[in-house]
Amino acid sequence: MPNLLSKASVNYPPRLTGRVFAVLLAIFIFSASAFAQDASQARINIQRSGISVIEALKEVEQQSGLSVGFNNSKLEGRQTSLNLSNADLSTSLSQILKGTGYTYEISGNFIKIVGEKGAAAAGNAKASQGALETITGQVIDPEGEPLIGATVAVKGTSTATSTDIDGNFTLKARPDDTLLFTYIGYAAQEHKVGANTTFDITMSEDSKMLDEVVVTALGIKREQKSLSYNVQQLKGDVLSENKDANFINGLAGKVAGVNINASSSGVGGISKVVMRGTKSIMQSSNALYVVDGMPMRGANSGGSTEFGSQGTTGFDSQGSTEPIADLNPEDIESISMLTGPSAAALYGSDAANGVILITTKRGAEEKTVVTVSNSTMFSTVTRLPEMQNRYGTSDGVYSWGDAQRGTFDPASFFNTGTNIINSVSLSTGTKKNQTYISVSTTNAADIIPESKYDRYNFSARN
């Protein structure tokens, strides 16, 4: 019985077999080249604003049928605006990659996104990014009011301009540039130019910027930037850096335009505060003190041009102290200096020479704070003028007379001065009830013999 499953074999001539293989190879090459030619002539349609470069390349891959290879991490976050309508592949890729620093290579049915190389490539890329264009726009605040003098700059360059009275601006930039908008008190903004030539920017207030609050008339607190007049403020901590029996002397050199002169009466003596220069020849130029909204007329505010103060008898008691010098510096929270016509407008003619606003401490809310401080200072004479002590009377008081056998050392006249300040304070309270209590002692001895100053402060505030 014949084997029906036997394999049939056909023998073709060797020449015929070679011809068939050549024909099949030619068909394959023709098909591949035709596919590549058709792919390179693919038409791309992408019309989107704010599309990412990665999404645009994926659209090209889908519409052209070619595989696109790129590094996601290098192109991530880059955006562009495209208006491609029936555009060829080369034009589409150039538009998508404009300003990214990358270019493309087409090999067969594969598109490779590669970085530009060398200075020449960078120059070509800059040229392909487009020429300078005129950028216009307006900068306004959250209420729609124009911001005058806002800075508009091209990031990374020296090109910058400012907005005019209507908040408008004009400058030159390239499509790949980034515009930086800044204004004092507002958060900075950055915007990519791209295909846009007009920008309407609304600036938002910077919540991170702390608004400094100062105390004005009658203890009212306002933001310093909202005031139309000059105010200089010092925190109470400044007084603790260099403690003096009269805390006013500790402000010397810390306030611009304010001259503070201590009297020659010794420790705890009166001090003269002159703001922006002397105002009068015959009358006093001393500033007015206001403590917690209440004017405190110093002992020397009655018109004395010297460091004198009116005593209880009406006569000048040269070298006496004044009420403001008896204030405990540890009780002071802040000091504000008002100068010019604004001070007189708030406190009348008594403030024509300026005002020193003193705000004392209050009790803390929802916490208890105990503060203990000590300040100990020593002072001595380090240099004396050259004096003749060869001739004089026997008691050494006068500088004329016969020659003396011995010599008198003026430095031996002075002592080592001390200034010891101790203070204890308690601050506590709730949201509805706050209490502040403090006790302070000041014991000072001047370098001049028999010159002492003792003060004891007790303060309670609820």
Side-chain angles (χ1 to χ4, degrees):
M1 184 174 180
N3 186 5
L4 299 178
L5 300 178
S6 61
K7 185 184 294 184
S9 60
V10 180
N11 296 324
Y12 294 98
R15 182 178 298 176
L16 181 60
T17 303
R19 290 179 179 178
V20 172
F21 178 80
V23 171
L24 294 176
L25 180 61
I27 294 174
F28 175 79
I29 295 175
F30 177 79
S31 300
S33 61
F35 174 79
Q37 184 178 3
D38 293 339
S40 63
Q41 295 178 356
R43 316 307 292 183
I44 306 301
N45 295 280
I46 303 177
Q47 296 178 346
R48 287 181 58 184
S49 178
I51 185 174
S52 66
V53 174
I54 294 177
E55 291 179 355
L57 293 176
K58 290 182 179 179
E59 286 287 339
V60 172
E61 187 177 50
Q62 183 178 359
Q63 296 183 24
S64 66
L66 300 179
S67 297
V68 182
F70 54 87
N71 190 334
N72 288 14
S73 61
K74 299 295 184 180
L75 298 176
E76 187 176 3
R78 298 178 181 268
Q79 293 186 346
T80 184
S81 297
L82 300 175
N83 187 18
L84 302 175
S85 178
N86 200 28
D88 59 71
L89 183 61
S90 178
T91 302
S92 301
L93 292 174
S94 298
Q95 289 293 326
I96 294 172
L97 299 175
K98 181 173 65 174
T100 63
Y102 287 83
T103 185
Y104 62 91
E105 293 178 359
I106 300 177
S107 178
N109 61 343
F110 185 78
I111 302 175
K112 184 179 181 182
I113 307 301
V114 296
E116 297 174 335
K117 300 178 181 179
N124 295 334
K126 195 68 178 179
S128 66
Q129 291 167 4
L132 290 172
E133 298 182 2
T134 301
I135 308 298
T136 60
Q138 185 183 33
V139 181
I140 60 177
D141 61 11
E143 298 179 356
E145 297 295 330
L147 292 178
I148 305 173
T151 302
V152 184
V154 178
K155 189 176 181 180
T157 68
S158 59
T159 303
T161 186
S162 299
T163 56
D164 58 16
I165 192 172
D166 297 321
N168 299 322
F169 69 91
T170 302
L171 82 166
K172 298 285 187 178
R174 300 180 185 274
D176 65 310
D177 288 334
T178 299
L179 299 183
L180 177 62
F181 299 85
T182 56
Y183 193 77
I184 297 177
Y186 293 83
Q189 296 187 24
E190 294 184 6
H191 295 273
K192 190 79 173 180
V193 175
N196 301 321
T197 57
T198 303
F199 289 87
D200 293 328
I201 305 300
T202 301
M203 304 291 286
S204 58
E205 294 185 358
D206 191 354
S207 59
K208 296 182 180 179
M209 295 184 62
L210 298 178
D211 295 326
E212 186 175 359
V213 177
V214 297
V215 179
T216 60
L218 305 178
I220 300 174
K221 293 184 178 181
R222 295 182 60 186
E223 293 183 3
Q224 185 174 8
K225 66 181 182 181
S226 66
L227 300 179
S228 59
Y229 49 86
N230 178 38
V231 177
Q232 299 184 72
Q233 186 180 51
L234 297 174
K235 298 297 182 182
D237 297 340
V238 177
L239 301 176
S240 62
E241 296 176 356
N242 183 19
K243 289 186 177 181
D244 192 275
N246 185 351
F247 75 93
I248 294 296
N249 296 329
L251 300 178
K254 295 182 173 64
V255 185
V258 177
N259 295 324
I260 299 176
N261 301 315
S263 69
S264 59
S265 59
V267 60
I270 194 171
S271 296
K272 189 174 183 180
V273 181
V274 179
M275 296 184 180
R276 306 295 181 186
T278 303
K279 307 296 190 304
S280 174
I281 296 177
M282 299 298 297
Q283 299 298 321
S284 173
S285 296
N286 209 35
L288 173 68
Y289 300 103
V290 178
V291 181
D292 291 334
M294 295 178 293
M296 177 182 289
R297 288 165 177 80
N300 65 335
S301 61
S304 174
T305 57
E306 302 295 335
F307 289 109
S309 57
Q310 299 294 331
T312 56
T313 60
F315 297 98
D316 283 346
S317 54
Q318 181 73 17
S320 66
T321 183
E322 59 179 348
I324 196 65
D326 296 333
L327 194 63
N328 179 17
E330 293 291 341
D331 293 340
I332 298 177
E333 180 180 356
S334 65
I335 298 178
S336 299
M337 303 285 189
L338 296 181
T339 58
S342 58
L346 295 173
Y347 290 100
S349 59
D350 290 340
N353 297 329
V355 176
I356 299 178
L357 293 174
I358 299 175
T359 303
T360 59
K361 294 180 180 179
R362 301 170 180 261
E365 294 184 7
E366 303 297 338
K367 61 180 179 180
T368 300
V369 179
V370 177
T371 304
V372 179
S373 65
N374 169 268
S375 173
T376 302
M377 293 189 298
F378 299 94
S379 58
T380 184
V381 176
T382 58
R383 182 180 179 184
L384 291 172
E386 294 183 2
M387 303 173 60
Q388 75 86 16
N389 53 16
R390 182 176 179 182
Y391 296 93
T393 59
S394 59
D395 54 7
V397 177
Y398 302 104
S399 60
W400 61 80
D402 300 333
Q404 299 186 81
R405 297 181 179 179
T407 58
F408 171 71
D409 183 13
S412 62
F413 171 78
F414 298 99
N415 299 328
T416 299
T418 59
N419 184 16
I420 303 174
I421 301 176
N422 296 298
S423 179
V424 179
S425 63
L426 170 65
S427 177
T428 185
T430 62
K431 291 184 177 180
K432 295 183 179 180
N433 189 350
Q434 300 90 37
T435 303
Y436 177 82
I437 302 174
S438 69
V439 178
S440 175
T441 63
T442 301
N443 304 104
D446 203 3
I447 58 176
I448 301 176
E450 303 300 328
S451 176
K452 296 183 179 181
Y453 179 81
D454 297 303
R455 185 181 72 228
Y456 304 92
N457 293 86
F458 301 90
S459 175
R461 180 172 185 170
N462 180 267

